[in-house]
Amino acid sequence: MEKEKTKKSSRLFIRILLDFLMLVSLLVAGYSAWNIYHALEGYHESDLTYTQVRKEVVQFNQQTHEDKINWPLLQKKYPDIAAWLKMADSKIDYPVVFGDSRYPSRRGNEYYLNHLIDGRLQNSGTLFMDVNNGHLFQDKVWVIYGHNMHNGSMLADIDRYRKQEYYNSHKEMTLETAHAKYKVYPIAGILTVGSNNYVRYRFSSNDDFMQYVNTFIHDSTFKSEQKVNPEDKLVLFSTCDYSLEDGRYALIGKLVRIN
């Protein structure tokens, strides 16, 4: 009799345990599905926003076969606009805003990490220039931050410079401001962490500047055919890299004005 009761109790316990484990599995699956849906919805919202911005302010010039940006309209609609970055054969075709925002509540290197250009909260964020660069484009190095999104958007393609093959097929970008247009020629890219002191804007001398550049070149994941002179200006792109804890991929490129 006692043995029968023990068997029944054991079977009941096992059934309850299995039901509990099934419930936990369903909850975990549901939570994962919700996170995936939320992420996909965020990607979609971000893509729609920047597609709409391009439609509003970028026109294709049939004569020059180049895009023409309506800067007065862009500045009117988005007062924080700093530049427009584009790279052929990539997803990089985005506005860049000032971290030194004209809105006090947006000023700094945090707001545009998770806000779209129109101010809506969204994890993709907006490409932005370091607040310490200000508005005048006078620094030796212009620093641009952006996320490495899992769907390949924002600055995800910058992280691909970890491979020489990617540099070989992506040797230039275009960076345009309201006052000038530049070619950006990648010089070197390093795999680092956020706590390393790899971001600089100004230098005490030409030697100080060239030492900074040569440190990048020495540690670079690819070899560039470009050379840097002391009088050159650079742009530094910083994005996340998921192979390291708090990982970053930092790419420097030489700025050459073309108009």
Side-chain angles (χ1 to χ4, degrees), residues 14-15 29-31 34 43 70 123 137 212 247 257:
I14 293 172
R15 187 164 66 247
Y31 180 72
W34 166 250
Y43 293 147
N70 186 334
N123 287 337
F137 299 103
Y212 176 75
R257 184 166 178 169

Side-chain angles (χ1 to χ4, degrees), residues 1 14 28 30 38-39 43 58 66 83 86 88-89 100 108 127 140 156 159 174-175 182 186 188 220 229 248 251 257:
M1 192 72 169
I14 293 172
V28 170
H38 186 67
Y43 293 147
V58 181
E66 294 181 345
K86 187 171 183 177
D89 190 30
D100 187 16
L127 304 189
K140 197 71 171 171
D159 191 48
T174 302
L175 184 69
Y182 303 85
S220 182
N229 297 312
R248 300 288 188 276
L251 175 76
R257 184 166 178 169

